[in-house]
Amino acid sequence: MSSNMQPLVDDLAVQLYEVQAVKFGSYLLKSGITSPVYFDLRVIISHPVLLTQVANLVFQTAVQAGVDYSSVCGVPYTALPIASVICCNNLIPMLIRRKEAKDYGTKRLVEGSFNPGESCLIIEDVITSGSSILETAAVLQKEGLKVTDAIVLLDREQGGAANLKKEGIRLHSVCTLSRILEILYQRGKTDKALVNAVKTFIQENNTALAFDQNSVIAKKTECEGLSFGARAESATIHPLAAQLLHLMEKKQTNLCLSADVTNSKELLQLADSVGPEICVLKTHVDILEDFNLEVAKKLRQLADEHEFLIFEDRKFADIGNTVKHQYEGGMYRIASWADIVNAHAVPGSGVVKGLREVGLPLNRGCLLIAEMSSQNSLATGDYTKAVVTMGEEYADFVFGFITGSRVANKPEFIHMTPGVHMHAEGDNLGQQYLSPEDVIHKKGSDIIIVGRGILMASNKVDAAKMYRKAGWEAYLGRLS
């Protein structure tokens, strides 16, 4: 960076702080890590002068770096207005990368005019691991474009540059987190203790390690030897999956209770008493005889208190428009309180797209049903493989599978297995049981789903503790 740009960058740091684009506190990042600093650069669209300053500095950084490019693409969505201002002010062609192709019109993932072989410069607001830039680069490269450089306003200095370099992309940043901390301290906006805390956080949370782990992970078909905590640090993991893996490590439980009860009082009592033993509570609200949204509110409070996620076992299986309304509306309003839902892949990708439209803005997640624990299930073979492919295609919303064994090689996908019982037998309605050891250690799943083994016990809390211990010991055995 030239000396004449530095005063402008320093002043920008203060302005970003004053409009609350830079915040200090405790914030959950996309990776699932809790950070003492957060950058919310979306607010600059409401400050046109500041947005213009940001765009000018990003453009000048590209000029000084001598980057050769024919077009510009902003990473969706925060960087789009920055890229738009740059392109309008400097008469540069702009491209837009869609997060998903539409089912109508041109169905393109990249909008705009370009020729294969041309170079496209990627613009991003903040870089941590670089995963968003790499995702955008992959889409552009698939269309025949070359991507050699990326410009970011702010580098959090947590390994993003190194991760891009491994993929042949050079990173150029307007400013670093260290410099922002220095300027805010000099201008009296923060104190030394906070500066040191943030610097320590940067040093202890380098995402380049997570990318290195991913290269090793890919060789392990069942993630053998990889802890839940390590998987949570994957640069491409769904935020909800990271949150779940972290709380599983914290509570030392991979137990999901299938709370198939028919009245709300019993459901809430179960959630309260067994909540400390589980990582997920699975509900079937359509069998509750007295459900109302106040019950959902109380359940949500118990989930927050005992640190477990709520999984509504709705098994959506209709066209996209229908499941969208089923998810967000009706008497259950599932999206307003359930962290997780599941769906059959039978209707095709439309079922995921419909749920995704509702759930993605709410930071919800979906499990696809790849296998079932019932006798003579048709969810096997090529069907299961097709389900996994669909999950990988929509990995920004689908974060795992309901399955009897590990079906996906990628460590960021969570596998949950129903039909778990200490006595691996079955019932007269086709349910087939597996033991926690079978499910976790031998078949490579992550979470055991237990229903009647706990619900029919004389002491449900003791039964939950027993399954929790068995499931966790099977997990530790898999690591050894």
Side-chain angles (χ1 to χ4, degrees):
M1 180 184 297
S2 64
S3 57
N4 62 332
M5 276 182 64
Q6 193 60 63
L8 298 176
V9 173
D10 293 350
D11 288 341
L12 178 66
V14 177
Q15 292 180 64
L16 292 174
Y17 175 80
E18 290 176 344
V19 300
Q20 294 191 315
V22 181
K23 302 177 181 180
F24 297 99
S26 180
Y27 301 94
L28 184 66
L29 302 181
K30 178 181 178 181
S31 65
I33 300 171
T34 300
S35 169
V37 61
Y38 183 67
F39 297 92
D40 183 11
L41 291 171
R42 289 166 293 193
V43 301
I44 67 174
I45 61 174
S46 298
H47 303 273
V49 173
L50 183 57
L51 174 59
T52 302
Q53 291 173 343
V54 166
N56 289 341
L57 287 170
V58 169
F59 176 70
Q60 288 303 318
T61 299
V63 171
Q64 289 188 10
V67 180
D68 182 26
Y69 56 96
S70 302
S71 58
V72 166
C73 180
V75 175
Y77 291 103
T78 308
L80 288 179
I82 299 173
S84 298
V85 173
I86 289 172
C87 292
C88 287
N89 288 350
N90 299 281
L91 304 180
I92 302 169
M94 178 176 167
L95 304 178
I96 294 178
R97 172 217 156 191
R98 289 187 180 275
K99 284 201 169 183
E100 64 172 3
K102 297 297 184 183
D103 291 330
Y104 51 85
T106 62
K107 301 182 181 180
R108 297 174 63 180
L109 279 171
V110 179
E111 300 291 355
S113 300
F114 58 88
N115 296 310
E118 292 179 342
S119 293
C120 182
L121 174 65
I122 292 179
I123 302 294
E124 177 64 303
D125 59 335
V126 180
I127 183 171
T128 303
S129 68
S131 60
S132 295
I133 291 176
L134 291 175
E135 288 169 6
T136 297
V139 173
L140 296 172
Q141 289 164 344
K142 191 174 181 179
E143 297 291 329
L145 291 160
K146 293 190 294 185
V147 179
T148 58
D149 297 84
I151 312 288
V152 298
L153 175 62
L154 175 71
D155 181 2
R156 288 182 61 112
E157 303 172 288
Q158 290 179 250
N163 294 331
L164 295 190
K165 185 178 180 180
K166 293 173 188 174
E167 302 299 325
I169 300 175
R170 293 180 292 267
L171 179 71
H172 314 276
S173 61
V174 174
C175 192
T176 63
L177 176 52
S178 296
R179 182 60 184 172
I180 283 187
L181 291 172
E182 182 182 342
I183 293 304
L184 294 181
Y185 176 68
Q186 291 175 358
R187 305 284 179 93
K189 303 297 183 180
T190 186
D191 56 41
K192 196 65 175 177
L194 182 56
V195 170
N196 290 336
V198 175
K199 287 184 176 179
T200 298
F201 170 80
I202 294 172
Q203 294 170 357
E204 294 179 350
N205 292 274
N206 192 301
T207 65
L209 176 60
F211 268 72
D212 288 339
Q213 288 173 333
N214 283 343
S215 64
V216 175
I217 292 165
K219 301 174 184 177
K220 299 178 180 287
T221 58
E222 294 186 353
C223 301
E224 293 175 350
L226 190 67
S227 70
F228 293 145
R231 288 166 59 187
E233 302 305 323
S234 169
T236 56
I237 196 167
H238 190 288
L240 194 62
Q243 180 186 349
L244 178 54
L245 290 168
H246 276 304
L247 77 83
M248 288 162 66
E249 284 276 23
K250 178 182 177 181
K251 295 179 67 176
Q252 295 190 358
T253 178
N254 55 347
L255 171 62
C256 167
L257 171 63
S258 182
D260 297 339
V261 295
T262 57
N263 71 80
S264 299
K265 182 179 179 181
E266 186 177 359
L267 174 64
L268 296 175
Q269 287 176 341
L270 266 175
D272 195 21
S273 62
V274 181
E277 312 302 327
I278 63 176
C279 60
V280 177
L281 180 75
K282 185 170 77 70
T283 60
H284 273 299
V285 292
D286 54 356
I287 68 173
L288 290 175
E289 298 167 350
D290 55 349
F291 176 85
N292 57 63
L293 291 179
E294 186 61 26
V295 173
K297 180 180 178 182
K298 291 177 180 178
L299 188 61
R300 183 72 261 166
Q301 291 170 344
L302 289 170
D304 295 338
E305 178 184 347
H306 295 303
E307 293 187 279
F308 61 79
L309 300 187
I310 303 173
F311 167 24
E312 168 52 26
D313 190 4
R314 181 60 178 79
K315 295 184 177 73
F316 291 102
D318 214 317
I319 62 172
N321 188 59
T322 299
V323 300
K324 177 181 175 181
H325 291 299
Q326 290 173 330
Y327 189 21
E328 69 180 343
M331 65 178 291
Y332 298 118
R333 301 192 179 276
I334 296 169
S336 68
W337 52 268
D339 301 291
I340 306 166
V341 291
N342 58 354
H344 285 292
V346 174
S349 61
V351 66
V352 177
K353 291 178 181 178
L355 296 172
R356 183 178 177 275
E357 279 190 27
V358 177
L360 199 61
L362 298 174
N363 297 316
R364 306 305 193 199
C366 179
L367 301 168
L368 290 181
I369 301 167
E371 296 175 335
M372 297 186 71
S373 59
S374 52
Q375 191 175 13
N376 299 323
S377 166
L378 301 180
T380 59
D382 289 341
Y383 176 82
T384 297
K385 292 178 182 177
V387 172
V388 173
T389 299
M390 185 182 296
E392 291 174 342
E393 184 178 356
Y394 295 96
D396 61 344
F397 183 56
V398 176
F399 72 93
F401 304 96
I402 298 296
T403 175
S405 60
R406 179 164 293 278
V407 295
N409 293 336
K410 294 183 178 179
E412 53 264 44
F413 283 119
I414 291 177
H415 294 65
M416 298 179 63
T417 299
V420 177
H421 201 289
M422 289 297 191
H423 306 291
E425 298 172 356
D427 64 14
N428 59 3
L429 294 177
Q431 175 66 288
Q432 300 180 110
Y433 289 124
L434 293 169
S435 71
E437 174 70 12
D438 288 334
V439 168
I440 303 298
H441 196 176
K442 297 179 181 179
K443 293 183 176 292
S445 191
D446 300 312
I447 296 174
I448 56 174
I449 303 176
V450 182
R452 280 172 274 186
I454 295 174
L455 298 181
M456 297 180 69
S458 57
N459 188 316
K460 295 177 178 58
V461 174
D462 285 348
K465 288 181 178 180
M466 179 180 67
Y467 277 99
R468 172 186 181 176
K469 184 173 184 288
W472 195 252
E473 286 181 349
Y475 159 66
L476 295 178
R478 189 174 79 192
L479 292 182
S480 62

